[in-house]
Amino acid sequence: MVQRVAVIGAGSSGLACIKSCVEEGLDPVCFESSDDIGGIWKFRESSDSERNRIYRSLVVNTSKEMMCFSDFPMPADYPNYMHNSQLLQYFRLYAEHFDLLRYIKFQTITPREDFPVTGQWDVVTVTQGGEEEQHIFDAILVCSGHYNQPIFPLSHLKGHDIFSGRCFHSRDYSDGDAFRGKRVVVVGVGNSGGDITVEISRAANKTFLSTREGAWVVGRMSTNGLPMDMTALTRFNSFLAWLTPKSLANWAAERALNYKYDHQLYGLKPKHRLLEKRPLINDDLPGRIFHGAVVMKSNLTGFTESGVVFEDGTVEENIDMVVFCTGYQANFPFLPSSLSDGPNGNLTLYKRVFPLSLEQPTLAIMGLFQSKGPIMTTVEIQARWAARVFCFCQHVVSLRSDLTTKPPEVGNQLKTNALEKKHHSFSSCYDFLRYPYEKHAIGARPNLLKMLLRDPVLWMKVFFGPSTPYQYSLTGPGRWAAMLFSLSLNGLLSLSEPERSLKEHQGRPFWVFSGSLCLEEP
């Protein structure tokens, strides 16, 4: 039976994994290569080759009620969409509340791991001082994230060697001060590309945004000033989407977005339909285009001595800087290369968690997916499921049966070739509402039929209200037993959550009775 578990990384995923292991009676040891928790959400003044760096002004794209841990609400005075420093502070509060810091070893890296037949792992760690230590672990949870190896296509662009300006990846971007009075090209229209373009445009003389396909732009604010994800991510909306033909759903959603600003007129209209790929979440980009501070351009194809060439044949001269917001490639140098057994060296994961190539499921990779919803919620469920698999032999037996009978396409295939990286389609994204396996495996998915029969009021709130993380701690392992009554009084499960979010801005706590909770023993 698994006892000692190594957790690689002390970001949001690592903290959730430590807590899940402790709750299952396991002995976790977390190895963190930096000197602090938070992972990618820890802003650093200088970048290094070992980890990604966020930009100073980064604000989250998921509202606080949808992205928090299921048993630890965000502080009431936090805004709906918080600055990265506030999210980091939330992680500190979470780690202190559940006493997780004592399981973490800081400034340690893990360069090599080997998998013997026993299912145990020989782990060699090296401190920054060069001291090497050897450990034996029964299982490993990889929580190092997949934003660690920048995709930087500069060398594949014609004329890059004669360009007199500066080119760099967005991981080296901190703020817009260095761009004051400059003419700048930003390549890539993902969420980071949109944020960085808007910020640079407030300081630069002229900013050009180069995109290969365009993007549908969605703001954080929905009708009545409510957070977009709280009004969109409901079980009722998911049910409607399941009933509605995709072409009709695309038409209706695109019409609603174009009603705010015509994507064709603004040079944003992409080649794909709205529900086929992830949209760009940005509140300010259309306004900056409207003001002329940002100019949309086609795909960047090459350089001149002082300018850049675009796919449509246009040339912009006197360019000072080019920022590549071209994403990242997941990389796990400390794992055996034999795990990448898929076509073209892909890493194939069962249910996006367990490598198919392992004889025993004692290695789990957390958060290696794109999500149609809050990522932290899904990773927490993955952590609870993985800890149960490690802890109970009967779960391992059924899992091994699935691993050997399911075809490779049930897993998530991660391409290791940066040039083959494509945009994540919505069809390949992880839908935390409609992808039920882990929730069923740990008994955390609310039983709506029983809830309807036993408590129709609560059923109404769960079905029509926002699908918040709190709902997944009502049952199953690690359920929030000590605070269930507070949930009932606080309205965290109710339709009043959006109203609670807005009233918190006025400095007054909002309390509402949400009905009794129908609970079952896990």
Side-chain angles (χ1 to χ4, degrees), residues 155 253 256 274 408 420 425 490 518:
S155 60
L274 174 58
E420 295 179 358
S425 67
N490 203 359
C518 50

Side-chain angles (χ1 to χ4, degrees), residues 45 83 113 140 183 198 201 216 232 240 261 270 285 303 323 334 387 391 421 445-446 451 454 456 489 493 504 515:
E45 290 291 343
H83 186 260
E113 298 174 9
I140 294 178
R183 287 171 57 86
V198 168
S201 71
W216 295 102
L240 289 181
Y261 33 80
L285 181 60
F303 293 87
V323 184
F334 50 82
C391 196
K421 180 181 182 292
R445 192 184 191 197
M451 188 180 294
R454 298 176 60 176
L489 294 179
L493 294 174
E504 284 162 358

Side-chain angles (χ1 to χ4, degrees), residues 179-184 200-208 292-294 318 320:
F179 300 85
R180 192 165 303 279
K182 307 291 186 180
R183 287 171 57 86
V184 184
I200 289 177
S201 71
R202 302 187 190 281
N205 180 40
K206 199 70 172 181
T207 305
F208 302 92
V294 173
N318 301 318
D320 300 293

Side-chain angles (χ1 to χ4, degrees), residues 115-140:
F115 184 74
V117 178
T118 61
Q120 293 182 320
W121 294 79
D122 296 327
V123 179
V124 178
T125 61
V126 181
T127 66
Q128 290 188 348
E131 297 180 2
E132 187 173 292
E133 298 178 351
Q134 295 191 6
H135 315 265
I136 297 179
F137 286 96
D138 300 302
I140 294 178

Side-chain angles (χ1 to χ4, degrees), residues 486-503:
S486 293
L487 278 173
S488 177
L489 294 179
N490 203 359
L492 294 178
L493 294 174
S494 72
L495 282 172
S496 300
E497 285 169 303
E499 190 172 354
R500 170 180 177 266
S501 297
L502 291 181
K503 285 184 178 294

Side-chain angles (χ1 to χ4, degrees), residues 28-197:
V29 178
C30 178
F31 298 104
E32 168 57 43
S33 61
S34 69
D35 58 355
D36 201 356
I37 64 173
I40 191 176
W41 294 104
K42 167 72 174 180
F43 173 75
R44 295 171 175 83
E45 290 291 343
S46 60
S47 61
D48 58 61
S49 60
E50 296 297 329
R51 59 183 60 87
N52 180 29
R53 183 182 66 159
I54 59 175
Y55 36 99
R56 192 188 307 275
S57 63
L58 179 61
V59 173
V60 300
N61 288 329
T62 306
S63 65
K64 68 173 185 177
E65 298 290 355
M66 300 296 290
M67 75 178 303
C68 64
F69 293 111
S70 64
D71 53 0
F72 196 74
M74 295 273 185
D77 60 341
Y78 274 32
N80 286 310
Y81 293 95
M82 70 199 73
H83 186 260
N84 62 82
S85 61
Q86 292 173 299
L87 182 57
L88 179 62
Q89 180 60 27
Y90 170 71
F91 293 148
R92 298 193 200 282
L93 295 173
Y94 180 80
E96 292 172 2
H97 179 78
F98 293 106
D99 195 21
L100 305 181
L101 294 177
R102 64 193 181 100
Y103 299 101
I104 303 174
K105 293 186 177 182
F106 292 105
Q107 296 186 336
T108 308
I109 59 176
T110 54
R112 185 180 72 246
E113 298 174 9
D114 299 309
F115 184 74
V117 178
T118 61
Q120 293 182 320
W121 294 79
D122 296 327
V123 179
V124 178
T125 61
V126 181
T127 66
Q128 290 188 348
E131 297 180 2
E132 187 173 292
E133 298 178 351
Q134 295 191 6
H135 315 265
I136 297 179
F137 286 96
D138 300 302
I140 294 178
L141 290 163
V142 179
C143 308
S144 56
H146 55 278
Y147 296 107
N148 43 31
Q149 182 178 334
I151 298 175
F152 193 34
L154 178 63
S155 60
H156 301 280
L157 296 175
K158 183 179 179 181
H160 73 277
D161 52 339
I162 64 172
F163 179 59
S164 59
R166 180 189 175 199
C167 298
F168 60 95
H169 193 271
S170 59
R171 70 173 296 172
D172 298 317
Y173 174 84
S174 178
D175 53 47
D177 293 344
F179 300 85
R180 192 165 303 279
K182 307 291 186 180
R183 287 171 57 86
V184 184
V185 175
V186 179
V187 181
V189 74
N191 288 329
S192 295
D195 287 345
I196 290 174
T197 298

